[in-house]
Amino acid sequence: RASKLETLRLKLFFGLGQAFRNCTVSSAGVRELELIQCGISDADCGGLARACPNLEMLNLTQCQISDKGIKKVMFPLEKIKKVNFTGLSLTTNTLRTIARKDICPKLGGTQK
């Protein structure tokens, strides 16, 4: 039976990264994901994208993610419309790259 979970908001929830790395099941119903100060790292980002392929909103405020991790999570997400990367150490080049229309065509405004 498919989950009806569409929005997940977590703050200061540690150990989640390991769950994403080991994820083999998609939570395709999740459209909004907020992981604020959750200890997510670059290594977890590919699993996050696989776990939640239909994300429209992603908030990774103050997680331990660099340019490398952001690219891993953003490139597979074709439906993403809104992001919040507050507190991340990202380069301007990475922000420009993910905001390009052909990579994230529905991404309207990027916050940093």
Side-chain angles (χ1 to χ4, degrees):
R1 187 171 172 205
S3 170
K4 295 188 184 223
L5 180 68
E6 291 184 12
T7 302
L8 180 60
R9 292 183 175 106
L10 299 171
K11 184 173 182 177
L12 296 169
F13 190 90
F14 296 93
L16 194 57
Q18 184 68 30
F20 284 130
R21 280 194 301 272
N22 296 330
C23 184
T24 58
V25 177
S26 171
S27 298
V30 177
R31 303 280 187 257
E32 297 182 7
L33 183 61
E34 291 188 19
L35 302 175
I36 300 172
Q37 297 175 314
C38 283
I40 301 297
S41 69
D42 288 344
D44 309 320
C45 289
L48 191 155
R50 284 189 305 277
C52 304
N54 294 315
L55 283 179
E56 295 175 8
M57 189 280 291
L58 178 62
N59 182 345
L60 297 172
T61 297
Q62 296 181 349
C63 289
Q64 301 300 313
I65 300 173
S66 71
D67 292 333
K68 181 180 175 181
I70 287 299
K71 289 176 184 176
K72 279 186 195 176
V73 75
M74 291 299 294
F75 289 170
L77 299 177
E78 296 176 1
K79 297 179 182 181
I80 198 82
K81 296 177 186 174
K82 185 176 179 181
V83 297
N84 185 337
F85 298 147
T86 302
L88 302 187
S89 297
L90 303 177
T91 63
T92 303
N93 188 43
T94 293
L95 293 174
R96 283 187 192 130
T97 300
I98 63 171
R100 282 186 15 213
K101 295 258 185 238
D102 59 329
I103 294 174
C104 298
K106 295 185 180 184
L107 190 61
T110 304
Q111 299 175 7
K112 181 178 182 213

